[in-house]
C-alpha cells in the first residue's frame, strides 16, 4: 500500500473513532425496526412508477416483452451510435441469453471492464476511455426513485456503468421493488446476509451523472455516463 493511501485510510479510521460515540448515540435514539414505506404516495404500479421517476431524471426506459424483444432494443441502441466496442459484464451475469450472438452479428467486440493491479493500469484505463457504451445487468431497482442497484464482483466490473458516456442496463421486471428497504430485502433473499462480503462495491444509480456546480446550470455527463438506458424485460 503506498504512503498516500495509508495516510488517507488512517485519517478515515481516526475520524470514525472520534465520531463513533455521537453516531452510536444517534443510532440508539432510533432503534429498529424501521418503517419500509412506501414513502411516496402513488397509484402507479412499480413498473410504471420506476419508468416515470427515471424518465423525470433524464433516463430512458424501454419495456420489452421477453428476451427477443429486449435484444432487438439493445441492438437498436448499439447501432444508433455505431459502436465497435462495448464494456460489458460477463455474459453469465447478464439476465438474458443471446447478447454474445447479437454483438458478433453486429461486429462489436466485448471488452471486460476490469483493470486490476498496478502494472500499466493507467495506460489500460486510457485505452478504455474511447469505448462509447457500457452494458450491465441490474441486481435490483427502486420504483420510488427510479434507481438501479449494481453489485460489483469478478466479471461485473464497475467501469461498465461509470466510464462510457452511455450506460445500458438489462433489468428483469421482477427485480423492481417499491422502496430502498424492499430492494435490500431482495438482495438479502438472493445473496444472504453476507451479500457484501466478497463484493467491492454497491452502486445506486439514479439517472445520468449530473452536476450544477457552475452557476447552478444543470450539466449531464460530467462525472459519469451522460445517458442511462434501461431495458426492462417482463
Amino acid at each position: 500500500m503506498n504512503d498516500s493511501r495509508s495516510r488517507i485510510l488512517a485519517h478515515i479510521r481516526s475520524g470514525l473513532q472520534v465520531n463513533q460515540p455521537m453516531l452510536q448515540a444517534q443510532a440508539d435514539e432510533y432503534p429498529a425496526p424501521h418503517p419500509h414505506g412506501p414513502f411516496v404516495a402513488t397509484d402507479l404500479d412499480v413498473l410504471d412508477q420506476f419508468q416515470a421517476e427515471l424518465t423525470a431524471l433524464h433516463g430512458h426506459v424501454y419495456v420489452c416483452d421477453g428476451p427477443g424483444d429486449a435484444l432487438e432494443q439493445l441492438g437498436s441502441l448499439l447501432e444508433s451510435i455505431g459502436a465497435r466496442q462495448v464494456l460489458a459484464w460477463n455474459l453469465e451475469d447478464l439476465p438474458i441469453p443471446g447478447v454474445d450472438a447479437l454483438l458478433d452479428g453486429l461486429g462489436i467486440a466485448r471488452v471486460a471492464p476490469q483493470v486490476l493491479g498496478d502494472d500499466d493500469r493507467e495506460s489500460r484505463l486510457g485505452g478504455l476511455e474511447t469505448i462509447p457504451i457500457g452494458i450491465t445487468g441490474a441486481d435490483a431497482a427502486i420504483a420510488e426513485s427510479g434507481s438501479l442497484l449494481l453489485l460489483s464482483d469478478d466479471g461485473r466490473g464497475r467501469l461498465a456503468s461509470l466510464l462510457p458516456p452511455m450506460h445500458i442496463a438489462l433489468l428483469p421486471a421482477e427485480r423492481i421493488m417499491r422502496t430502498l428497504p424492499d430492494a435490500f430485502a431482495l438482495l438479502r433473499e438472493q445473496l444472504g446476509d453476507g451479500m457484501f462480503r466478497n463484493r467491492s462495491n454497491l452502486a445506486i444509480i439514479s439517472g445520468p451523472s449530473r452536476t450544477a456546480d457552475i452557476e447552478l446550470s444543470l450539466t449531464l455527463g460530467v462525472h459519469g455516463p451522460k445517458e442511462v438506458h434501461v431495458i426492462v424485460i417482463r
Side-chain angles (χ1 to χ4, degrees), residues 74 78 86-89 94 99 103 133-137 160 167-170:
L74 176 59
L78 294 171
V86 296
L87 278 181
W89 281 6
L94 298 177
V99 174
L103 296 177
I133 294 179
I135 300 175
T136 73
H167 173 207
I168 302 174
L170 302 170

Side-chain angles (χ1 to χ4, degrees), residues 65-208:
D65 292 320
D69 193 14
L71 286 174
E72 185 175 339
Q73 181 59 59
L74 176 59
S76 176
L77 287 170
L78 294 171
E79 289 184 306
S80 69
I81 63 169
R84 300 272 59 90
Q85 288 183 309
V86 296
L87 278 181
W89 281 6
N90 282 352
L91 297 173
E92 57 267 29
D93 289 306
L94 298 177
I96 58 173
V99 174
D100 51 343
L102 173 69
L103 296 177
D104 288 344
L106 295 173
I108 298 173
R110 186 181 69 84
V111 179
Q114 301 279 6
V115 186
L116 301 177
D118 294 326
D119 294 339
D120 73 346
R121 186 173 187 272
E122 187 172 342
S123 64
R124 284 187 288 159
L125 275 172
L128 300 181
E129 285 182 356
T130 58
I131 297 178
I133 294 179
I135 300 175
T136 73
D139 297 286
I142 304 167
E144 285 190 332
S145 59
S147 305
L148 300 167
L149 277 69
L150 276 64
L151 282 163
S152 298
D153 200 349
D154 286 343
R156 302 157 58 102
R158 50 185 177 264
L159 285 177
S161 64
L162 295 174
L163 187 61
M166 177 188 288
H167 173 207
I168 302 174
L170 302 170
L171 171 67
E174 63 270 19
R175 296 182 188 174
I176 303 175
M177 301 289 110
R178 182 71 74 181
T179 69
L180 177 63
D182 293 334
F184 273 97
L186 175 66
L187 296 180
R188 189 170 291 107
E189 177 183 317
Q190 295 174 336
L191 305 170
D193 290 335
M195 58 184 174
F196 297 121
R197 191 165 301 147
N198 297 318
R199 295 170 177 84
S200 60
N201 174 266
L202 169 67
I204 300 179
I205 300 169
S206 301

Side-chain angles (χ1 to χ4, degrees), residues 40 42 44-53 143-144 178:
V40 179
T42 179
L44 300 176
D45 64 26
V46 291
L47 174 54
D48 288 342
Q49 188 182 22
F50 174 78
Q51 185 168 18
E53 293 298 326
E144 285 190 332
R178 182 71 74 181

